[in-house]
Each structure stands twice: as C-alpha cells, then as structure tokens.
Amino acid sequence: DQQVKQNSPSLSVQEGRISILNCDYTNSMFDYFLWYKKYPAEGPTFLISISSIKDKNEDGRFTVFLNKSAKHLSLHIVPSQPGDSAVYFCAASEIEKLTFGTGTRLTIIP
Amino acid sequence: GAGVSQTPSNKVTEKGKYVELRCDPISGHTALYWYRQSLGQGPEFLIYFQGTGAADDSGLPNDRFFAVRPEGSVSTLKIQRTERGDSAVYLCASSFTLGETQYFGPGTRLLVL
C-alpha cells in the first residue's frame, strides 16, 4: 500500500523549458512535504519543502505547489538546466519519519 | 562543513554473516535516521533516534536488524544472519532536531551473496 506515489517513472524536457514533476499521497495525516534530488551513487539531496498550511513555496528556479484537497503536490523547475538531470523523490512526513515515492527520472535535453 | 558520512561505502558478504554499517551525522545534529532503498524503490524508513534513544523502530523488518547510538552521535546499524533479500542501499540521515529537514549521507551498498 503505497502512501506516496510518483506515477511518472521518467520525464524528458528540453533545456530552458519548464519541468513539472508530480506526486500524489493518500495519508491525510501527512503535514510536511519535501522534494529530494538524487544522482547515481550519492544520497538524496534536499531541494525544497512545504508545510501543509501553505499551498506554494518558491526557492530560485524551484517551486513546490500543494493541493491538499486533491492530495497532490508538484515541483516546477524553470528554466530547466542540464545539471537538473537526476532522479527526483517526493517525500511526506507524519510525525518524524519520511515516506518516499518511487522517484521520477528527469532528463534535460540540451 | 562536513555532511553525513557512512562507512563502508560498499559491503559484500555471504548469506548468514553478520554486518555492521556506520553513520556519522552532521556535527550538532541530535536526530538520526536510517532508511533502506531497494532497486527501483524510494527509501523506506527503518528507525530514528533522538539523542541516544531509539524513538521509533517500527520500520525495522525483523529482529535480525538492530541499531544503536550509544553517545548520541555515531550510529551503527547491525544485521544478523544476513539474507539475500537484505541487499540494498542503506541510507543514514540527520537533522538538527526532530521535525527539521533531514540531510542524507551517500549510503552503504550492501550485497549479500
């Protein structure tokens, strides 16, 4: 029973365009959401987070949107750059532990 | 500053053997977490510590798995009688305190033959 789902295993985007990564969750007790980026042979790197009391958080090229009624969040990257090519994990927090999705592999095409 | 470090980076062992995986958290971080990532999956929670005590070990798959953090800093994940299904990347993360952002180490890749 997956509580956090990333339904797109992969996504390819032209350099300079917007990348949109999606995540759905089922547990309404989740109160904090995060996006991590992962390169091969490295641990996940924290990107951006959002509290359940907000619907948007922005940090430079990265914006996370949260729609609580739909139990959906998305990560927007604009403009996309070649260095953004990586696997992106959505994670949700209930109390302290994180529940992760299965990841989306983003490839930026030069 | 130094991030979370994990040793060894890779470990190959035989079925039935005992292994220990070590995690050095970011200096000053009081909370420490262990996760396990299998191929094609996201990391799955195993256990977390606040200080020296295991605050939640509900993710440990069975009693072959045990973790300690005796002085509230370095932690060791111990796996007894390893099985092939234990093969995975074991990730450690730390945060300044509970509820703060978790920062991950590079992981230990465990292969049980």
Side-chain angles (χ1 to χ4, degrees), chain A residues 60-73:
Chain A
R61 296 186 299 115
F62 303 92
T63 303
V64 56
F65 296 91
L66 175 63
N67 182 334
K68 281 187 67 177
S69 60
K71 293 191 176 69
H72 177 83
L73 66 155

Side-chain angles (χ1 to χ4, degrees), chain B residues 9 13 21 34 58 62 66 68 76 78 103:
Chain B
S9 54
T13 191
L21 312 178
W34 284 98
S58 62
N62 51 60
F66 189 71
V68 295
T76 305
K78 308 181 182 201
Y103 296 92

Side-chain angles (χ1 to χ4, degrees), chain A residues 36 41 43 89 96-98 100-101, chain B residues 35 37 42-43 58 99 102 105 109:
Chain A
Y36 284 84
F89 288 98
E96 307 305 342
K97 59 190 179 186
L98 296 178
F100 285 82
Chain B
Y35 293 82
Q37 185 175 14
S58 62
Q102 297 180 29
R109 284 148 193 80

Side-chain angles (χ1 to χ4, degrees), chain B residues 20-112:
Chain B
E20 289 189 352
L21 312 178
R22 177 188 166 109
C23 173
D24 276 272
I26 293 171
S27 178
H29 280 196
T30 61
L32 184 146
Y33 312 77
W34 284 98
Y35 293 82
R36 177 168 76 171
Q37 185 175 14
S38 301
L39 201 59
Q41 302 296 316
E44 293 179 309
F45 169 78
L46 294 176
I47 184 171
Y48 79 81
F49 293 85
Q50 173 61 32
T52 60
D56 182 346
D57 64 358
S58 62
L60 294 178
N62 51 60
D63 61 6
R64 296 186 297 106
F65 289 75
F66 189 71
V68 295
R69 195 186 185 200
E71 297 177 358
S73 178
V74 170
S75 176
T76 305
L77 178 66
K78 308 181 182 201
I79 311 174
Q80 298 178 319
R81 305 182 304 281
T82 52
E83 299 178 357
R84 293 194 180 89
D86 298 336
S87 297
V89 177
Y90 288 81
L91 293 162
C92 176
S94 70
S95 63
F96 182 69
T97 188
L98 288 177
E100 300 285 326
T101 299
Q102 297 180 29
Y103 296 92
F104 284 80
T108 293
R109 284 148 193 80
L110 175 66
L111 177 62
V112 182

